[in-house]
Amino acid sequence: MHGIIAPQRARTFRTPTGRPNPPIVLFAGPEFTGKRYEAAIGSGSDLIATTYWIQIGGLSGTADQYGQVPGARYEIVPHDGSFDDFLDALRAAISQPPAADGKRNMIVVDDISSVWDLLSYEVAFVSRKRAERRGLALDDAPVDEERDLWVQAKERWGAMLWLLRQHNGPSLLIARQETVTAFENDKPTAHTTRRIMAEKNIRAAVDAIVEFRDLGEAYITGAHSTPQHWEIKPGWTYRYEGLDNLLGRLGYQDAVDARAVTELRPEAVMQVAQQRVEQQPPAHPAVLTGKQATLLIHQALQDKVDPRACLVKLREEWGRRTLRSVQTETKMFGELNGDVLITRSIAFVDEQAEKRAESGTPPGQTENAGSEQSSPVGERAEQGSPATEAGPPVAATEEPEQAREHSAEEPPVEGSTPPPPDPQAEEPPPGESLDDTTEAEEPQAPPTPPVRTRRTRGSDVTIKALTAEANVQARLQFLTEGDILASASESGKPTMMELLHYLRENRPRLIAQLQEDGADELASVYERAPLPDPQIERKFAAYFDSAQTK
């Protein structure tokens, strides 16, 4: 909606309340500087009802021990160490009701540095698993971590902060802090600085920061406050004097019951896009008529190379919205909209491919050489009628009735199977070849190799294509070709049809694996590939080569 000045909906403005949010406080410092000890003392504050302590990571382990600190009053929330269960433990703590006197509960997360470590370990773990599936050699060297995994880690970290913002009481986050070399213009300097070991935007997500320099030495280095509660003077350093004092300076006694914040909604962009699509006027039927759609589908079915790919391309060019708005009529399927007719035609092409594979006919060729592939929509498609807006006119070489006379086989009636061959039908006498002569009639010259028939040649092409795809599927699963053949048949030597059905059933799982690995383009190519596909190894060559070079 760029360029629009007028507001699109009515809004009610409001004046500020002047009240602070329930504070989120960050305790940061090196180990053994008293961060957890001060958190245990703060749990006994008179401003707090009950403190719920969530401990994560193996670097601390002091939640039970600090229960003996004088005045400490908190309960430990257990979890199994996974991020999802940690998040659920945080939900359980937030859901606890406040005390009867109105005092609110406090949450302690010990520590958020370990939470960020956990998310980083998840990225490394998934990256190594992806590398193993690709067949990469794993050694002590780090594996390249893909960007999508870090995006997910950021989202999970944001889910934790979002839950903390829903809490109506104070939250206390403990983090490690380290001294690191300061950089200037991306170059190291002789100076050092302190860095909080967590997600880099953690300082902007809290309301106050307390840095522990040494035992008994802690300073407030950042806070959201107003002169009404705490008059901060520029250049002054303020010591941390206990949690009660800090909450008072932050105005906790006047805090609102729920944090006043407008959360980001990145998913709204999809809702806006969907609304724009719904607000568009429907496609005008005059753009593509039913006769034109039928003709285009018939033309795609007559493609000699890959009719299935032509049907998919036709759907992409016109779009489902346009195709659904036109009605087509065929003798085989009856009245259907253009989108459903393409779906039925794709199923018909797949069925014909199975029959060709079973009969041993090479892909893209019918059993009778030179005959056209039969089309389920060709009977009522108007051959030779101009497509006008739908595309260029299609030249018709013969009438539909004549085309049926020369077709290799009639389109099957939906829901039926082809009739069995007549056992009493006489086979036409084959032409005499060198195989039909007796040894006495053969000349004394070296025998000529027997002439292979078209059927044998087609069967070899089909078996070679199926074997090539079995090899591709084996490499994608880090198996051998023998493993695939053993899985396709109990005997370990599958027939051509058993191997074809097994490869077809195994495709969706491998397509999903390619999409998970980020090879979306190759997954799309594999999804559109016919079965059998003589070019299958060429399509995967670049993918396997890149996996070996990494």
Side-chain angles (χ1 to χ4, degrees), residues 201-257:
N201 296 317
I202 184 60
R203 297 180 66 92
V206 299
D207 298 290
I209 300 175
V210 180
E211 295 189 23
F212 289 75
R213 309 288 173 80
D214 208 338
L215 284 175
E217 185 180 356
Y219 301 92
I220 303 172
T221 59
H224 292 156
S225 187
T226 60
Q228 179 183 359
H229 303 104
W230 181 19
E231 187 175 356
I232 301 176
K233 297 181 180 180
W236 283 40
T237 300
Y238 297 91
R239 276 186 173 270
Y240 171 75
E241 299 176 0
L243 188 61
D244 276 354
N245 176 269
L246 177 60
L247 293 179
R249 290 181 172 186
L250 297 177
Y252 170 66
Q253 62 274 13
D254 298 327
V256 295
D257 294 332

Side-chain angles (χ1 to χ4, degrees), residues 128 137-144:
R128 295 189 71 85
L138 299 179
D139 48 20
D140 295 334
V143 177
D144 291 338

Side-chain angles (χ1 to χ4, degrees), residues 310-466:
C310 291
L311 290 168
V312 173
K313 183 178 180 181
L314 182 62
R315 173 179 278 163
E316 293 176 352
E317 288 178 354
W318 285 99
R320 290 180 176 271
R321 186 183 183 88
T322 301
L323 291 169
R324 287 172 184 167
S325 66
V326 299
Q327 290 295 321
T328 63
E329 183 179 359
T330 63
K331 185 176 180 180
M332 178 177 177
F333 297 130
E335 294 186 1
L336 299 171
N337 67 54
D339 183 58
V340 175
L341 181 57
I342 288 181
T343 302
R344 295 285 185 89
S345 300
I346 290 175
F348 173 77
V349 170
D350 292 341
E351 183 180 351
Q352 295 299 307
E354 287 188 20
K355 290 183 179 181
R356 287 194 299 272
E358 186 175 6
S359 63
T361 305
Q365 180 180 340
T366 56
E367 292 184 11
N368 297 330
S371 63
E372 275 191 322
Q373 178 178 338
S374 59
S375 166
V377 300
E379 299 181 12
R380 293 196 181 183
E382 295 187 359
Q383 302 291 333
S385 60
T388 61
E389 299 166 350
V394 180
T397 57
E398 52 185 4
E399 293 296 325
E401 294 296 334
Q402 298 173 350
R404 288 200 301 275
E405 293 177 3
H406 297 284
S407 63
E409 55 184 345
E410 289 289 332
V413 179
E414 190 174 1
S416 66
T417 56
D422 186 359
Q424 299 184 3
E426 295 184 1
E427 294 268 339
E432 187 176 22
S433 65
L434 293 177
D435 295 336
D436 300 328
T437 61
T438 64
E439 293 181 0
E441 297 173 332
E442 290 182 355
Q444 297 303 314
T448 306
V451 178
R452 301 182 65 183
T453 63
R454 182 181 299 276
R455 184 180 183 88
T456 303
R457 199 162 55 242
S459 178
D460 288 346
V461 172
T462 302
I463 293 175
K464 183 178 180 181
L466 293 176

Side-chain angles (χ1 to χ4, degrees), residues 107-184:
I107 294 176
V108 175
V109 179
D110 178 21
D111 58 76
I112 61 168
S113 296
S114 296
V115 175
W116 184 244
D117 288 343
L118 172 61
L119 296 174
S120 302
Y121 297 155
E122 288 181 349
V123 171
F125 179 81
V126 176
S127 296
R128 295 189 71 85
K129 286 298 180 182
R130 287 184 177 181
E132 289 175 1
R133 286 201 300 269
R134 293 174 182 169
L136 302 180
L138 299 179
D139 48 20
D140 295 334
V143 177
D144 291 338
E145 296 165 348
E146 300 179 12
R147 179 175 176 81
D148 68 304
L149 298 178
W150 282 112
V151 172
Q152 295 177 14
K154 289 267 191 178
E155 290 177 353
R156 291 159 75 81
W157 174 266
M160 177 194 70
L161 296 179
W162 181 85
L163 276 176
L164 291 171
R165 289 194 290 268
Q166 311 312 305
H167 182 44
N168 65 352
S171 301
L172 188 56
L173 312 181
I174 300 175
R176 300 191 306 273
Q177 191 178 48
E178 294 183 355
T179 302
V180 296
T181 301
F183 280 72
E184 184 176 355

Side-chain angles (χ1 to χ4, degrees), residues 10-23:
R11 301 181 185 274
T12 302
F13 303 97
R14 65 180 182 88
T15 57
T17 62
R19 301 175 62 185
N21 291 316

